[in-house]
Amino acid sequence: MNKTIHADPKGRERNSREYESVHHTNTAGTDPFHLGTECLLEAMVERENMMRAWKRVKSNKGAPGIDGMTVDVLWPWLHANWAQVRKELLDGKYQAQAVLKVEIPKPGGGVRMLGIPTVIDRLVQQALLQVLVPVFDNDFSENSYGFRPGRSAIQAVRQAQKHAQSGKRWVVDLDLEKFFDRVNHDILMSRVARKIEDKRALKLIRKFLQAGIMSDGIVFPRDKGTPQGSPLSPLLSNIILDDFDKEQEDRGHCFCRYADDCNIYVATRRSGIRVLSSITKFLECKLKLKVNQRKSAVARIWKRKFLGYSMTINKQAKLKVAPESVKRFKNKIRQAVRQGRGRNLQRFILEDLNPQLRGWINYFRHSETKGIFEELDMWVRHKLRNIIWRQWKRPWTRFKKLKQRGLSEKRARVSAFNGRGAWWNSGASHMNAAFQKKYFDSLNLVSLLDEILKFQHLTKTAVIRNRTSGGVRG
């Protein structure tokens, strides 16, 4: 098949909510134990399981792999070829194809490497994932939250807050260097083989792990790592890190782990230094993983972040948005505003700006400090006033428009002809008076502060209702 490959890394990095919803769907109807783990592939290729896998792959869309096949042509291709693929899977002869290498920039600098499997391999991996999750998930640690059914990043953040409020005011912030690129295949497969008896399934997983990676048209072999971008990678990462979780539990540590992000909470700095040293030895000697000493640290809870959140210095530590998350948010809004300068303002707000604002506040609505949201609302409105001022272009146009917005003739004239730059004027009193918050409310601009106040009100109402409904009998 000779097709141009259009890599779309934006759709390849699965967010936690989407992955959790996958698991909820998967575990509901697929029970591999009715055939036993020695017949796992028979459970995998059952019609109901394969149909669910196809629907998931179709809904995820994503870019084609090295063969150029898109999700849109997968269904007709399966009609013609599924019998042969099924036979190869059950006979242990299925061959995984190389993944397409795509690099995307990290928020903190550097690049993250993604591997995009072919759409057929994604289907097989998704079907395999659906029968593997019930086998492994029940035995994972209660302190592991990443890519698991019924668990979320916010639950991990809340648990971290409880550790801090219990008196553990120091955190060992552990960073694993290029974790997904360094996973040792032999160690991982030995962990998988503890629960999977079907040799064909083990062989298939090994084939996916060792499938080459294509970069600039050349396929390079792979002897370690499980690149992000494939359906199996998150589960396999949890399997190999489960030994790490169990080791921490045996030592009595208070910790939270979300994929390769792990924070351990201790009472003193000395304890933190000791824990960091011993855990580093365990990871590097037992699991062959490397701890990034430059990014890992022992520090106060309010000086580090976990999954985008930080905490206040209060004795009963409150959740707040980490400064790095605010900085990342502003960079995204700046990029959006640059693209919206020549467009209709309301259309830009509704189509481009609001989805970003709503997605960001939906994640950070659990923050217990509100000041940052008010500041960001003011900053966003400043950006929008800047667009308006630039669109007016000429001083006489600005003079007329300011008068139309209710300014006196004298004030409008002085403001329009002051000779200052667009950013200064868009933050000055005349533009604030001409375009107040209620104007942007009329354009349906999402207010971060209003959204979080609404969420907190609904939460309090729900708590009161629960208390009153359960407090009186009869």
Side-chain angles (χ1 to χ4, degrees):
M1 191 179 293
N2 229 349
K3 292 186 178 180
T4 304
I5 298 172
H6 299 285
D8 179 19
K10 184 178 180 180
R12 293 284 79 230
E13 195 171 20
R14 204 183 311 264
N15 64 44
S16 59
R17 264 181 312 197
E18 180 188 16
Y19 203 86
E20 286 153 18
S21 69
V22 172
H23 283 323
H24 277 303
T25 305
N26 295 340
T27 55
T30 301
D31 180 12
F33 295 109
H34 76 287
L35 292 172
T37 60
E38 70 277 2
C39 298
L40 202 69
L41 286 192
E42 278 75 10
M44 185 190 81
V45 298
E46 281 186 347
R47 177 177 174 79
E48 182 185 355
N49 188 58
M50 292 305 304
M51 285 298 295
R52 191 157 50 249
W54 174 75
K55 288 177 182 177
R56 176 52 55 184
V57 171
K58 182 183 178 183
S59 66
N60 285 342
K61 298 181 180 179
I66 63 170
D67 61 356
M69 183 186 291
T70 63
V71 175
D72 295 333
V73 300
L74 176 59
W75 183 253
W77 188 93
L78 289 173
H79 268 286
N81 298 280
W82 171 241
Q84 178 62 28
V85 173
R86 185 179 187 277
K87 185 176 186 304
E88 289 177 0
L89 287 167
L90 293 176
D91 292 345
K93 296 179 180 179
Y94 182 86
Q95 293 299 320
Q97 298 185 66
V99 299
L100 179 64
K101 181 180 178 181
V102 176
E103 292 182 342
I104 61 173
K106 287 184 177 181
V111 294
R112 176 179 287 111
M113 193 271 284
L114 302 182
I116 304 179
T118 64
V119 67
I120 302 161
D121 281 349
R122 292 209 295 271
L123 175 71
V124 175
Q125 286 194 41
Q126 181 63 40
L128 183 57
L129 173 72
Q130 291 169 182
V131 295
L132 286 177
V133 167
V135 177
F136 287 96
D137 191 78
N138 289 336
D139 291 331
F140 284 154
S141 168
E142 287 297 311
N143 298 291
S144 168
Y145 293 88
F147 309 117
R148 295 186 59 195
R151 288 172 171 260
S152 66
I154 295 303
Q155 289 176 331
V157 171
R158 287 292 188 192
Q159 186 59 45
Q161 183 186 24
K162 289 179 182 177
H163 291 321
Q165 290 178 342
S166 70
K168 310 287 185 181
R169 309 273 286 176
W170 290 86
V171 60
V172 180
D173 189 354
L174 203 65
D175 184 86
L176 296 177
E177 187 175 305
K178 296 183 179 179
F179 166 71
F180 285 93
D181 300 335
R182 293 181 180 273
V183 171
N184 184 286
H185 290 174
D186 292 332
I187 294 176
L188 173 58
M189 289 307 302
S190 70
R191 272 53 176 178
V192 176
R194 290 172 181 173
K195 294 194 171 188
I196 301 300
E197 300 174 78
D198 192 331
K199 302 296 183 184
R200 298 164 303 168
L202 294 173
K203 185 178 178 182
L204 181 60
I205 295 171
R206 172 79 76 163
K207 285 179 179 178
F208 283 128
L209 287 172
Q210 294 182 335
I213 184 162
M214 177 179 283
S215 178
D216 297 326
I218 302 173
V219 176
F220 297 91
R222 200 171 69 215
D223 57 2
K224 62 180 179 180
T226 168
Q228 298 179 73
S230 69
L232 273 178
S233 289
L235 175 64
L236 296 178
S237 70
N238 275 335
I239 290 173
I240 195 169
L241 286 174
D242 190 52
D243 279 10
F244 172 54
D245 296 338
K246 297 298 195 294
E247 177 69 17
Q248 293 197 80
E249 289 175 349
D250 290 343
R251 298 183 185 192
H253 291 164
C254 296
F255 73 99
C256 297
R257 183 178 67 78
Y258 191 94
D260 58 330
D261 289 328
C262 182
N263 277 5
I264 307 168
Y265 295 86
V266 296
T268 66
R269 185 173 183 274
R270 179 179 291 182
S271 299
I273 293 172
R274 184 176 65 251
V275 167
L276 179 58
S277 176
S278 61
I279 285 297
T280 298
K281 288 178 183 177
F282 175 83
L283 287 166
E284 294 185 348
C285 296
K286 297 291 185 180
L287 300 181
K288 307 300 180 186
L289 298 171
K290 186 173 178 59
V291 174
N292 189 327
Q293 296 295 339
R294 186 173 59 85
K295 292 185 178 180
S296 300
V298 178
R300 288 292 195 178
I301 54 171
W302 52 85
K303 292 185 177 179
R304 306 297 290 186
K305 66 178 177 67
F306 182 51
L307 301 177
Y309 280 88
S310 186
M311 298 185 210
T312 64
I313 198 171
N314 307 58
K315 187 173 183 180
Q316 288 298 304
K318 296 181 179 181
L319 294 180
K320 67 175 186 177
V321 184
E324 295 91 335
S325 301
V326 174
K327 183 178 179 181
R328 208 149 45 229
F329 168 80
K330 284 188 171 184
N331 286 337
K332 286 186 177 180
I333 298 302
R334 284 190 187 100
Q335 291 175 11
V337 167
R338 287 191 195 103
Q339 298 170 359
R341 284 178 180 172
R343 296 176 54 192
N344 175 273
L345 188 65
Q346 185 168 25
R347 192 177 303 127
F348 164 69
I349 288 173
L350 296 177
E351 295 177 1
D352 294 79
L353 194 56
N354 275 355
Q356 293 198 42
L357 295 174
R358 195 171 284 113
W360 193 81
I361 194 59
N362 281 345
Y363 182 77
F364 286 107
R365 63 186 179 178
H366 299 272
S367 173
E368 294 163 315
T369 59
K370 298 187 283 290
I372 186 61
F373 300 107
E374 187 174 9
E375 290 176 20
L376 289 175
D377 273 343
M378 293 170 63
W379 181 80
V380 169
R381 292 195 293 268
H382 191 167
K383 282 285 183 184
L384 294 176
R385 293 186 189 103
N386 189 38
I387 290 178
I388 296 170
W389 186 264
R390 286 176 178 274
Q391 287 180 345
W392 287 345
K393 293 184 180 179
R394 298 176 182 277
W396 279 108
T397 304
R398 291 166 181 165
F399 168 64
K400 293 175 184 177
K401 294 290 186 181
L402 287 172
K403 278 182 62 180
Q404 290 173 9
R405 294 298 305 170
L407 270 65
S408 67
E409 183 172 348
K410 181 180 177 181
R411 189 180 182 189
R413 185 183 299 277
V414 171
S415 301
F417 289 90
N418 61 30
R420 291 182 176 268
W423 183 249
W424 186 91
N425 275 289
S426 56
S429 61
H430 52 270
M431 284 296 283
N432 277 274
F435 297 95
Q436 300 176 16
K437 181 180 181 297
K438 61 183 179 182
Y439 169 78
F440 295 105
D441 289 342
S442 70
L443 298 181
N444 295 314
L445 174 68
V446 169
S447 166
L448 302 178
L449 181 61
D450 290 351
E451 289 295 315
I452 197 169
L453 290 175
K454 189 189 305 179
F455 171 74
Q456 290 177 352
H457 173 72
L458 291 173
T459 303
K460 288 178 182 178
T461 304
V463 170
I464 292 171
R465 283 177 179 170
N466 287 338
R467 286 175 179 171
T468 55
S469 62
V472 180
R473 300 183 69 182

